[in-house]
Amino acid sequence: MNLLNETNARVALKGVSLRKTCPLTVIIPAYNEGKSLADTVKSVLKQTVAVQEIIVVDDCSTDNTGQVVLDLGVKVLRPPQNTGSKAGAQNYALQVTNSELTMAIDADTVLAEDAIEKLLEAFDDGKVAAACGFVIPRYVNTLWERGRYIEYLFAFTFFKPIQDYYDKPLISSGCFSMYRTDILKGNGGWSTRTLAEDMDLTWSFYQSGHKVRFIGDAVCYPIEPHSFLFMRKQLKRWCHGFVQNVQLHWRNIVHIKYLRSMVTVSLWDAVVASFVYLILLPLLAIAFRNPVFLIGYIIDVPAVLIPTVAVAIKRKEILRVLTSLPAFFVLRTVNGIFMLEAIVSEWVFKKSFRVYEKGH
Amino acid sequence: MVAGIPGTGIGGIFYLMSAFCMPLREMTKLVRGKSNLMRWKFIVMQLGLASGIVMGFWITGWILAMVIPQKAHVFFIITSNGKILKITPFITAITVLFTVLLSVELLRFFVPKPHSR
């Protein structure tokens, strides 16, 4: 099946010349994204393939979010009241979507020019319900952005392609993913029952026998948290979301090959590695009065460095990678703190965190 | 997002092992006529990364074993030879990984399979 219909070529959107058109609706949920939204929409308009429709959901913003895209020829929906989450805003637009494919993209994310075309290739396989791409932070300046830059380069170069090889990408990332609309609607859209709706949706697809793909050539560039204040919100949401999804899905995913191994190992690392890293290593160093234990913090530098340098050579960003590497070790320490907090809060104190706080 | 702390724990070793198992899995696909050159290119690339990581670990262990004084090898005092930092943590991690993976494989026999949605 070829989703690009040349005979149906048409001027789909304002300012777009004759191109192949794909049966795709792009949903962009936005809450106070006046500064970044126009860039996101323009990057969709400049794609190598034209899309059927772009819907911006202005989730009752208090800034000029709705106005900045009025001249770009996109549909702007405004719910009667704030939906409370990204999932809620996306579902609001999904109700009026009737194209074969639906894409969700964050309002602070821009796409490489061929990102949609590359991602479409995944849907040549009729069993594929969702596909996601390579994520690289758009700005790499602050400590937190640099840490995230290394984390993404590492994960999307080494972990994610392996997950894809075994047909089980852990998450079809919420910032840039494409879905088969009928399967998405059949699933009830994006669920709001956890704080990580993308993980919830991905695991639900596996449970219903569908495939999810990771396409490394489809690249997007989101704005990552630039300060601890925003990083804190995002990490809290992600960590609690992971724990909530494990709690919600474990009875099902234990029967799904490779996914069960991946999730169990991730959970083990989330609990034990965080504990060792944050508590045990410093305690041992103090108890034995021997700093050799602190080597544990950096002993895996080669593991992180090899894949990131490999992709840095390809992207001609070696200096950026080398100067960003120390920030990664700061970020993962902070990540460990939030992961432990989420586990203790959700499972020990049974205090489920449900407030969706925007992380950028 | 990577759950846990990327790079630490048994997750890294799990993915290394997954990478090294790729050729075996691909051979079975080849026999069934489901393999192609592109897939092998991808496997070679991931194997290259995995091998680089293993080599990086080995070099790190080798350097640490040389730099750190023998008496500081408090991890394993009874075997104070130069190889401990390279080998023992690796064996420990592999053992933990296999135990964790075996546990989840056993768990599925005790958890009823739900009806697919």
Side-chain angles (χ1 to χ4, degrees):
Chain A
M1 179 183 61
N2 188 353
L3 292 161
L4 295 176
N5 187 354
E6 198 157 14
T7 57
N8 191 31
R10 62 193 170 90
V11 181
L13 295 156
K14 190 175 179 179
V16 175
S17 59
L18 204 65
R19 293 174 295 171
K20 291 177 181 176
T21 302
C22 54
L24 171 70
T25 298
V26 178
I27 297 175
I28 308 174
Y31 177 72
N32 289 347
E33 301 278 7
K35 288 178 184 169
S36 60
L37 181 60
D39 287 339
T40 301
V41 172
K42 284 174 188 170
S43 82
V44 177
L45 291 171
K46 285 179 187 169
Q47 288 295 300
T48 50
V49 292
V51 301
Q52 192 173 308
E53 189 172 36
I54 300 174
I55 303 176
V56 171
V57 184
D58 175 12
D59 206 358
C60 300
S61 303
T62 53
D63 70 353
N64 62 342
T65 292
Q67 281 79 47
V68 294
V69 291
L70 281 179
D71 295 337
L72 296 174
V74 303
K75 183 190 276 185
V76 180
L77 300 180
R78 193 175 167 93
Q81 59 189 34
N82 184 277
T83 61
S85 67
K86 190 170 89 174
Q90 289 173 167
N91 286 332
Y92 190 76
L94 187 63
Q95 296 171 34
V96 297
T97 302
N98 53 19
S99 55
E100 188 181 343
L101 300 170
T102 299
M103 195 176 95
I105 174 175
D106 283 357
D108 63 355
T109 300
V110 297
L111 304 177
E113 276 194 6
D114 59 353
I116 290 180
E117 188 177 2
K118 295 283 185 190
L119 213 52
L120 279 170
E121 291 169 10
F123 292 88
D124 288 345
D125 180 346
K127 287 183 181 173
V128 171
C132 61
F134 203 114
V135 184
I136 300 176
R138 199 183 330 170
Y139 305 118
V140 185
N141 299 312
T142 69
L143 175 83
W144 307 105
E145 289 167 341
R146 285 179 180 277
R148 186 49 60 72
Y149 170 67
I150 296 294
E151 182 185 338
Y152 280 177
L153 285 188
F154 176 67
F156 286 91
T157 304
F158 189 59
F159 284 174
K160 206 95 173 182
I162 293 174
Q163 293 170 359
D164 184 61
Y165 176 78
Y166 287 95
D167 301 319
K168 294 290 179 296
L170 188 62
I171 314 167
S172 190
S173 314
C175 70
F176 170 46
S177 276
M178 196 182 287
Y179 308 91
R180 220 175 275 282
T181 307
D182 56 344
I183 300 174
L184 179 61
K185 284 185 174 177
N187 192 74
W190 291 271
S191 174
T192 54
R193 59 192 172 176
T194 74
L195 286 175
E197 78 291 334
D198 47 2
M199 185 178 278
D200 187 1
L201 189 58
T202 307
W203 294 2
S204 297
F205 284 150
Y206 291 140
Q207 286 158 41
S208 52
H210 295 107
K211 285 170 75 172
V212 175
R213 290 292 319 276
F214 163 70
I215 305 294
D217 290 337
V219 185
C220 75
Y221 303 92
I223 298 174
E224 291 298 326
H226 64 281
S227 66
F228 178 71
L229 180 74
F230 287 109
M231 183 59 83
R232 181 183 65 83
K233 289 178 182 177
Q234 194 187 61
L235 286 179
K236 191 168 182 181
R237 201 175 69 230
W238 285 2
C239 293
H240 278 265
F242 172 67
V243 177
Q244 289 165 3
N245 272 294
V246 171
Q247 191 165 355
L248 181 70
H249 291 284
W250 75 271
R251 282 187 181 82
N252 295 305
I253 59 176
V254 81
H255 296 286
I256 301 173
K257 211 166 105 181
Y258 200 75
L259 182 64
R260 62 171 169 258
S261 307
M262 236 178 357
V263 173
T264 308
V265 165
S266 295
L267 189 61
W268 175 274
D269 279 354
V271 180
V272 180
S274 295
F275 176 77
V276 170
Y277 198 75
L278 297 169
I279 299 166
L280 194 63
L281 285 180
L283 277 181
L284 286 172
I286 293 166
F288 286 91
R289 294 183 181 183
N290 195 329
V292 76
F293 288 101
L294 303 180
I295 289 169
Y297 287 107
I298 52 158
I299 202 161
D300 59 342
V301 167
V304 179
L305 202 58
I306 301 288
T308 48
V309 167
V311 73
I313 291 169
K314 200 173 157 187
R315 295 179 55 82
K316 296 175 183 168
E317 294 174 359
I318 295 175
L319 189 62
R320 182 182 273 188
V321 162
L322 294 178
T323 53
S324 300
L325 196 64
F328 169 75
F329 293 95
V330 176
L331 178 60
R332 77 173 181 182
T333 306
V334 174
N335 195 20
I337 294 168
F338 281 95
M339 191 52 89
L340 279 184
E341 185 276 326
I343 288 165
V344 171
S345 173
E346 296 277 341
W347 287 348
V348 179
F349 295 115
K350 307 285 180 196
K351 196 176 162 188
S352 191
F353 181 63
R354 296 286 168 184
V355 182
Y356 190 95
E357 289 184 289
K358 229 174 70 147
H360 54 82
Chain B
M1 177 214 175
V2 181
I5 307 177
T8 58
I10 56 173
I13 297 169
F14 171 74
Y15 285 103
L16 279 176
M17 284 180 48
S18 296
F20 288 120
C21 287
M22 280 179 176
L24 297 173
R25 187 174 187 255
E26 198 60 22
M27 285 298 281
T28 62
K29 283 188 176 289
L30 185 68
V31 171
R32 285 183 283 164
K34 290 181 176 177
S35 185
N36 59 46
L37 192 62
M38 285 291 285
R39 290 178 64 89
W40 280 104
K41 274 185 182 173
F42 166 77
I43 289 169
V44 168
M45 205 171 70
Q46 292 304 122
L47 279 179
L49 289 177
S51 304
I53 291 170
V54 171
M55 196 170 287
F57 268 128
W58 189 85
I59 291 170
T60 308
W62 182 68
I63 292 170
L64 289 175
M66 284 202 310
V67 171
I68 298 171
Q70 294 292 306
K71 63 179 182 181
H73 287 166
V74 288
F75 287 109
F76 304 95
I77 296 164
I78 49 170
T79 57
S80 57
N81 65 63
K83 292 178 181 174
I84 56 171
L85 278 168
K86 284 184 280 188
I87 296 168
T88 314
F90 181 71
I91 292 170
T92 308
I94 287 277
T95 308
V96 172
L97 175 61
F98 272 101
T99 308
V100 169
L101 292 179
L102 186 65
S103 303
V104 75
E105 290 300 320
L106 291 174
L107 181 66
R108 71 192 168 101
F109 293 112
F110 297 99
V111 179
K113 197 170 186 175
H115 298 290
S116 59
R117 302 181 336 155

